[in-house]
Amino acid sequence: MTLAQKIAQLDVFPKVDVDNQARSEKGGLLTVLLGCFLALLTLSEFSDYRRVRTNYQFLVDPTIEQGIQINMDLTVAMPCNVLLVHVYDASGQQMHLTENLKMVPAEFSTNREDQKKALDSRYLQEVVKAASGKPYDEKIAAEMGACRILGSIYASKIAANLHITSRGHGYHSHSHTDHSLLNFTHRIDELSFGKYYPNAINPLDNSIEVSDSHFEAFQYFLSIVPTTYIDRQKDVIITNQYAVTDSRKAAPDDRPTNMVPGIFFKYDIEPISVQISESRQSFIHFIVRLCGIVGGSVVTVGFIYRTIKLILTGGKEDPNLYAPAHNLMRSV
């Protein structure tokens, strides 16, 4: 016995003789439908194989960090030379951050594209000078009526308050901002904590608040959640995300109180952290699932077909099933 014959004896998929096979229109139609169904299932499985899954895990914050990165890009409807930026933390430390951020003259608009003065060469020169850190004409810049505050700063990783106020209101200053200039209408294009990661959602991005009074305070209460992001290449990004609630209060212009007008961000660090990881189904897993679906579908459809056929024939075998064999016996 040859090696090929020995291997043939191990065949667990015995073939049915052609003489014992009976083909029908119903069987052909069922085969076509089954093929279409399997094609749809295969496409669905391939789509699921290509899909990136995002997994979330909550745990006590294991990181030991001294500082937190604050990224901001917002526009206030006041000249830059009257604005101040401070951070007060829970330890009593005060950080004067006005010089650490870029403060560029701008024209306030609810839409970035709806700006006219910013395109005027007279104002454009001052904007370019301010953006590059060079001295600029503050009188001309003040005519634009707004200030864009942008940049990244580092503060202690403890509960703190970030204040944007005006000179002479709330902090000791050698100058005092005229009440007619007080207007803390603002647009926040970005406010985030830590490094950027894919699909990050910052609730305050692209938000606008319009002031109804010269003496008005906008307050934002933020809960910062330390976040660890792990992508499919196992690269780790340690960052933060946050939830926020806000409130505002105003005093009549003719009866100003001791309230300090400004924009105030009060944030606290949560002890619970979130770990976000990306994963995708392995190719071996995809093949195993696909084989299981194809094999299971063929067996199930075959069983249903035989059951229906058995019911329709009243439990009797199809007389045409063995017709070729009977004809062969008669001819012998």
Side-chain angles (χ1 to χ4, degrees):
M1 183 180 294
T2 63
L3 179 61
Q5 291 174 337
K6 292 180 179 180
I7 295 177
Q9 290 182 346
L10 300 176
D11 187 5
V12 296
F13 304 102
K15 310 302 183 293
V16 180
D17 293 337
V18 177
D19 293 338
N20 294 330
Q21 296 179 5
R23 302 180 185 275
S24 64
E25 294 181 358
K26 295 179 181 179
L29 178 61
L30 186 62
T31 301
V32 172
L33 294 177
L34 177 61
C36 295
F37 180 67
L38 290 178
L40 291 176
L41 287 180
T42 301
L43 291 176
S44 176
E45 278 299 309
F46 183 74
S47 176
D48 187 63
Y49 162 69
R50 295 289 300 170
R51 183 169 61 90
V52 176
R53 294 172 174 80
T54 303
N55 307 306
Y56 295 88
Q57 183 180 3
F58 298 89
L59 62 159
V60 177
D61 185 15
T63 60
I64 302 177
E65 294 186 27
Q66 299 295 326
I68 185 171
Q69 177 182 337
I70 305 175
N71 312 302
M72 66 172 64
D73 183 358
L74 57 89
T75 303
V76 183
M78 292 176 62
C80 293
N81 60 341
V82 300
L83 291 175
L84 296 173
V85 182
H86 290 82
V87 169
Y88 263 120
D89 62 30
S91 66
Q93 182 181 4
Q94 177 184 351
M95 298 175 61
H96 179 69
L97 302 173
T98 307
E99 306 300 330
N100 300 71
L101 296 166
K102 282 188 177 181
M103 304 184 71
V104 182
E107 179 184 4
F108 185 84
S109 172
T110 56
N111 188 341
R112 276 182 167 180
E113 299 177 356
D114 186 21
Q115 296 181 349
K116 298 179 180 179
K117 288 184 180 179
L119 301 178
D120 191 322
S121 59
R122 179 167 172 262
Y123 301 106
L124 187 59
Q125 293 179 3
E126 308 307 321
V127 172
V128 172
K129 290 179 182 178
S132 59
K134 298 178 181 179
Y136 62 93
D137 192 326
E138 294 184 355
K139 292 184 178 180
I140 296 179
E143 294 179 11
M144 298 186 69
C147 181
R148 183 181 179 188
I149 306 172
L150 69 159
S152 296
I153 56 178
Y154 291 87
S156 299
K157 192 179 177 181
I158 55 178
N161 291 272
L162 172 63
H163 298 171
I164 300 177
T165 57
S166 61
R167 297 184 184 276
H169 294 271
Y171 294 93
H172 175 72
S173 177
H174 296 292
S175 59
H176 183 83
T177 304
D178 188 88
H179 292 180
S180 62
L181 292 177
L182 295 177
N183 180 9
F184 283 97
T185 295
H186 59 280
R187 183 187 71 234
I188 301 176
D189 295 312
E190 179 188 356
L191 181 67
S192 61
F193 297 83
K195 299 178 181 179
Y196 171 81
Y197 67 94
N199 302 319
I201 298 177
N202 301 312
L204 288 178
D205 287 3
N206 303 314
S207 61
I208 297 174
E209 291 289 347
V210 179
S211 177
D212 299 324
S213 169
H214 291 300
F215 286 85
E216 188 160 6
F218 297 90
Q219 296 178 312
Y220 297 94
F221 302 91
L222 297 88
S223 297
I224 299 177
V225 181
T227 302
T228 302
Y229 178 82
I230 306 174
D231 62 16
R232 286 178 295 162
Q233 286 73 37
K234 303 304 179 183
D235 294 330
V236 179
I237 300 176
I238 298 178
T239 182
N240 303 277
Q241 52 186 328
Y242 65 90
V244 62
T245 57
D246 64 338
S247 67
R248 56 191 294 179
K249 57 181 179 180
D253 293 338
D254 56 346
R255 295 194 306 274
T257 62
N258 293 329
M259 181 191 70
V260 178
I263 306 170
F264 305 93
F265 300 92
K266 183 178 181 180
Y267 60 86
D268 197 1
I269 313 296
E270 298 294 333
I272 300 298
S273 67
V274 178
Q275 185 180 90
I276 305 174
S277 58
E278 288 185 345
S279 63
R280 198 172 74 178
Q281 186 183 109
S282 66
F283 182 73
I284 298 298
H285 192 190
F286 165 68
I287 293 298
V288 171
R289 284 176 58 91
L290 189 61
C291 291
I293 289 175
V294 172
S297 299
V298 172
V299 172
T300 302
V301 172
F303 174 76
I304 294 174
Y305 176 72
R306 288 192 297 271
T307 301
I308 294 176
K309 189 174 182 180
L310 185 65
I311 294 173
L312 294 177
T313 58
K316 298 179 181 179
E317 293 183 347
D318 188 353
N320 297 323
L321 181 61
Y322 302 106
H326 294 163
N327 294 334
L328 179 63
M329 293 297 294
R330 291 190 186 123
S331 63
V332 175

